[in-house]
Amino acid sequence: MAHVLVIGGGVGGLATALLAARYGHTAEVFERDTRAPGAALDRDFFGWHRPGVPQAAQPHALLGAARTVLRQELPDVHAEMLRLGARERHELDWFDVRPPARPGDEDLVMLQARRIVLESALASALRAEPGAVMHHGETVTGLLAEPTGSAVRVRGVTTRAGAYTGDLVVDAGGRRGGVERLLPAAGCRPPVVERHRTGLAYFCRWYRLPEGMEEGPRRPWAVTGGTFAGCAVFPADNRVFAVTLFVHTGDTTRSALRDPAVFEAAARAFPPGAAWLGLGAEPLSGVLATASLDNRWSALVDERGPVATGLVAIGDAIAHTNPTLGQGTSLALWAACRVARTAHQDAGSVRFAAAYHAWAVRTLKPWFDFQVVADAAIGERFATRAGRTDPARVVAALFECALEDPEVMRARARVRHLVEPPERAYADPQVRARVERWLAARPGYAPHVAGPDREEWERLVYDPAVGPRTSARS
């Protein structure tokens, strides 16, 4: 068995250490924060300043892929999340009567919770796990390494408290974790980084449904948008939900959305925002903004082979994906499982490093590439304010058809929950035939735009007290 050193105590790091311990390894986690999340969810979520995890207060989507890992590998964590207030929603519950079940439908369930709920459940399980140790307030400052032929062998980490050695070091420090900057000092070649800017800025605000109202509306669909802005609703735990607006980073109205009155007026102009905010929800936060996001793939293998052995990256440290598709947690949990299941296989060897890289390219990279394509389409539409090209029309038709056709919805859900890649799910002859019939019945179809037009948007942003017109597109 192996001794695993994990850099970073976020979702990926906690899951890696917990899974490693349960697969018979020992694990140590090094986390810069001085404490772990506790059971006081609201206090930690809204009051805990976490500069190293800026996305912690943003909404998270725990897709079916993440839920499957939890149910199969960490059922106690899944159960604890439900006890803490997480809720589950099946994608096919969009329809008034759920379609007859098929094998695989159990994978199409969203686990609705704030990130703090998952972190709290993982931290609680890790504390009780023999063979796992958590070092709070210990930032990794260096790598212990030695040259071994074609690659540098990483044998441990250093912190201000001392040096720690292990069989495998796991970088779970996220895109800002700093391990990339530590590699040259350890004598390693730099990682190979692929970066795609999204051009999107996000603004979210948290609310709580009124007492006695456990769920919001099942419809309208949680995400809608036009050619310059969009709105999404993220139901979470304990009657809490987030409303998110997203615009292009170059949009002149962007900065005004930080004002709560402007934000709420703009959100109410979209069907999801109007439906949820119309329930009398209580605001729990100001407007939380995030921008300068990119899709970033960082490989520890170049044309000469692994740049280091004894070191692998998981989560945002290898594949940072923009949150529009909500893939991040699922990809991190997949990687955590891979590490835990294989850490005994001579983790310091070139063969292990190359095999992990090949697995990541085969398993994670296709979903990263899908995210890049999706974000490029959104970014271009928002930047040019045009979204009626033929490819956009076909994609929009598929999505709108899914709202009426359970078989197309099932295909869409299988992609959304990372069960099946889009090139396979959408190429199914039955799905294609149904979308084609749907289009044939609508000559001259143009993608539906839900929400305000540009004139209405600017009026709302610059004079929010007036409120949205009832004639806004929906």
Side-chain angles (χ1 to χ4, degrees):
M1 293 295 103
H3 185 53
V4 181
L5 306 179
V6 182
I7 303 172
V11 169
L14 291 170
T16 299
L18 184 57
L19 286 163
R22 293 187 178 179
Y23 271 82
H25 310 293
T26 54
E28 294 182 79
V29 182
F30 301 88
E31 168 55 41
R32 71 179 75 186
D33 276 331
T34 57
R35 66 178 182 86
L41 300 177
D42 284 353
R43 182 197 66 194
D44 281 353
F45 187 73
F46 295 112
W48 185 6
H49 180 55
R50 305 173 70 181
V53 195
Q55 72 275 25
Q58 295 290 330
H60 281 62
L62 298 181
L63 304 176
R67 176 178 175 270
T68 295
V69 171
L70 293 175
R71 292 178 70 222
Q72 293 179 351
E73 300 284 347
L74 300 169
D76 55 323
V77 173
H78 176 253
E80 176 66 2
M81 289 186 68
L82 296 178
R83 189 190 71 79
L84 291 173
R87 301 181 69 88
E88 296 190 329
R89 180 181 63 80
H90 199 290
E91 286 290 338
L92 296 179
D93 282 342
W94 162 264
F95 301 100
D96 292 332
V97 177
R98 187 189 294 184
R102 289 190 177 181
D105 281 358
E106 66 278 5
D107 297 324
L108 310 180
V109 180
M110 182 82 71
L111 191 56
Q112 297 176 334
R114 289 169 289 175
R115 176 190 172 110
I116 198 72
V117 174
L118 175 56
E119 288 181 307
S120 180
L122 286 168
S124 177
L126 190 65
R127 280 193 295 269
E129 191 67 33
V133 177
M134 189 84 181
H135 299 279
H136 286 291
E138 281 201 55
T139 301
V140 169
T141 56
L143 301 174
L144 297 174
E146 60 185 25
T148 56
S150 62
V152 171
R153 168 74 160 93
V154 175
R155 295 194 175 276
V157 302
T158 60
T159 72
R160 289 187 176 86
Y164 302 82
T165 59
D167 300 298
L168 178 66
V169 175
V170 178
D171 177 11
R175 65 187 178 113
R176 301 184 180 184
V179 171
E180 184 177 320
R181 296 190 296 274
L182 301 179
L183 289 171
C188 302
R189 303 189 303 277
V192 178
V193 177
E194 176 186 340
R195 180 180 284 109
H196 304 267
R197 300 310 297 260
T198 64
L200 298 174
Y202 295 83
F203 301 84
C204 92
R205 195 180 191 196
W206 290 93
Y207 299 84
R208 178 172 275 118
L209 291 169
E211 193 73 37
M213 185 180 293
E214 296 301 320
E215 293 186 359
R218 191 175 40 155
R219 297 177 180 178
W221 197 247
V223 182
T224 60
T227 57
F228 57 86
C231 177
V233 173
F234 294 86
D237 55 281
N238 298 293
R239 310 193 333 269
V240 172
F241 67 94
V243 177
T244 295
L245 295 173
F246 46 101
V247 298
H248 193 269
T249 51
D251 196 301
T252 56
T253 64
R254 170 185 160 190
S255 60
L257 295 174
R258 293 176 180 268
D259 183 296
V262 172
F263 175 90
E264 189 151 323
R268 287 176 181 271
F270 292 92
W276 284 77
L277 294 177
L279 298 174
E282 168 198 5
L284 300 177
S285 73
V287 179
L288 310 177
T290 182
S292 300
L293 295 171
D294 56 10
N295 291 306
R296 182 179 182 274
W297 177 265
S298 184
L300 294 175
V301 173
D302 61 15
E303 71 281 356
R304 294 163 56 185
V307 303
T309 64
L311 172 70
V312 296
I314 74 161
D316 285 356
I318 184 172
H320 176 262
T321 52
N322 186 45
T324 46
L325 300 182
Q327 298 183 146
T329 301
S330 297
L331 301 187
L333 292 178
W334 282 353
C337 285
R338 167 75 186 193
V339 169
R341 291 168 180 165
T342 60
H344 63 285
Q345 299 174 356
D346 192 11
S349 67
V350 170
R351 177 179 297 180
F352 182 91
Y356 180 81
H357 175 72
W359 171 86
V361 169
R362 184 173 64 251
T363 308
L364 307 180
K365 189 64 162 53
W367 294 105
F368 172 87
D369 293 338
F370 176 47
Q371 180 80 61
V372 170
V373 171
D375 284 341
I378 296 172
E380 181 180 359
R381 185 171 80 242
F382 282 11
T384 62
R385 299 180 189 170
R388 304 203 173 200
T389 61
D390 193 60
R393 178 177 177 272
V394 172
V395 171
L398 188 150
F399 284 5
E400 290 187 39
C401 176
L403 303 182
E404 304 172 14
D405 188 318
E407 295 308 315
V408 180
M409 175 64 84
R410 184 177 274 113
R412 180 183 176 184
R414 290 181 65 79
V415 174
R416 174 168 168 75
H417 290 279
L418 311 190
V419 176
E420 193 172 14
E423 61 270 18
R424 189 162 71 236
Y426 296 153
D428 181 275
Q430 184 184 45
V431 172
R432 294 183 65 174
R434 286 172 176 269
V435 176
E436 287 169 3
R437 285 197 298 270
W438 189 90
L439 272 171
R442 294 161 177 79
Y445 164 78
H448 179 63
V449 175
D453 59 24
R454 185 66 189 188
E455 179 184 357
E456 172 77 353
W457 174 262
E458 293 193 2
R459 189 183 64 80
L460 287 168
V461 167
Y462 296 128
D463 191 7
V466 176
R469 291 195 305 253
T470 56
S471 60
R473 293 172 294 174
S474 60

